[in-house]
Amino acid sequence: MDRPERTGGGAGPTRGRAVTRARILASAKELFTDEGYGAVSSRKIASHAGVNVALINRYFGAKSGLLAEILREDGVFPGLIEGDPATLSRRLAEHAVSRLYGEGTPLQRALDDSAGDPDLQAVYQGRLKTAMLDPLTAYLGRENASVHASLVAAVMLGLTRVRLIEGGTALRAHERSQLTDRIEAMLDLCLAEFGPTGED
């Protein structure tokens, strides 16, 4: 039977678990950022955090579960979706263009280098639903909201794939404000209300 982690100062088991969990997350985020996802093992994360590797499986299921939790806390897409509906497409367009130019957090840039890792792809697939499709559908809150959300995701993911596969060379060579305007226009179309059945 596992004993609760102790943190000293009279902290109870629940507090001890929370502190240990936070330490593991902090170590994983630092190592993923510095070395890339694929180069870091669960054992290395545990050693860095000063815990038994079994605790990673207990709290997060696996290394991929750790990454999913880190990305959930990062919350980029929910943060973009919140705010004035009138400027939603602009916020998303600016985010997409910033990623084309290699901007974003150090962790996001490091994960780009591991984009082909099967674990990472599985995490991103789950994140698509929880961080974009579901929040955007709820945010829109109207008929066909899930269709609009899926169209927006298709544009955003398409830009991501171009960036990861060939670097988005032609896009980055174009004037940035014009590129942002064009992507915004595509997203506006994705978000526009549908006409009666049979019409655009």
Side-chain angles (χ1 to χ4, degrees), residues 10 42 48 61 66-67 75 77 83 86 96 98 100 104 111 115 124 129 133 145:
S42 293
H48 188 278
L66 255 175
L67 179 61
F77 285 123
S98 74
L100 282 171
L111 293 177
Y124 280 161
K129 178 174 172 56
L133 293 177

Side-chain angles (χ1 to χ4, degrees), residues 85-148:
T87 59
L88 173 63
S89 58
R90 187 68 185 185
R91 294 194 300 275
L92 293 171
E94 288 174 346
H95 172 75
V97 171
S98 74
R99 299 295 286 125
L100 282 171
Y101 281 85
E103 297 166 9
T105 68
L107 175 62
Q108 288 168 343
R109 293 195 296 271
L111 293 177
D112 285 348
D113 295 333
S114 303
D117 188 289
D119 272 0
L120 194 60
Q121 292 177 9
V123 170
Y124 280 161
Q125 288 170 7
R127 181 165 165 75
L128 172 65
K129 178 174 172 56
T130 60
M132 173 164 275
L133 293 177
D134 289 350
L136 185 53
T137 298
Y139 176 85
L140 294 173
R142 64 186 191 224
E143 186 179 6
N144 294 315
S146 61
V147 179
H148 292 294

Side-chain angles (χ1 to χ4, degrees), residues 77 80 92-93 95-96 132 151-161 183 187:
F77 285 123
L80 291 172
L92 293 171
H95 172 75
M132 173 164 275
L151 287 169
V152 168
V155 172
M156 300 292 283
L157 287 177
L159 290 166
T160 297
R161 295 305 299 166
I183 294 171
L187 293 170

Side-chain angles (χ1 to χ4, degrees), residues 5-53:
E5 299 86 44
R6 299 186 181 278
T7 60
T14 300
R15 174 62 179 160
R17 285 192 291 271
V19 170
T20 301
R21 192 175 183 280
R23 193 163 68 242
I24 293 170
L25 281 170
S27 289
K29 185 172 184 178
E30 180 179 339
L31 290 170
F32 290 158
T33 300
D34 291 345
E35 303 180 25
Y37 178 81
V40 177
S41 67
S42 293
R43 192 168 298 280
K44 187 168 188 175
I45 294 167
S47 176
H48 188 278
V51 302
N52 189 302
V53 69

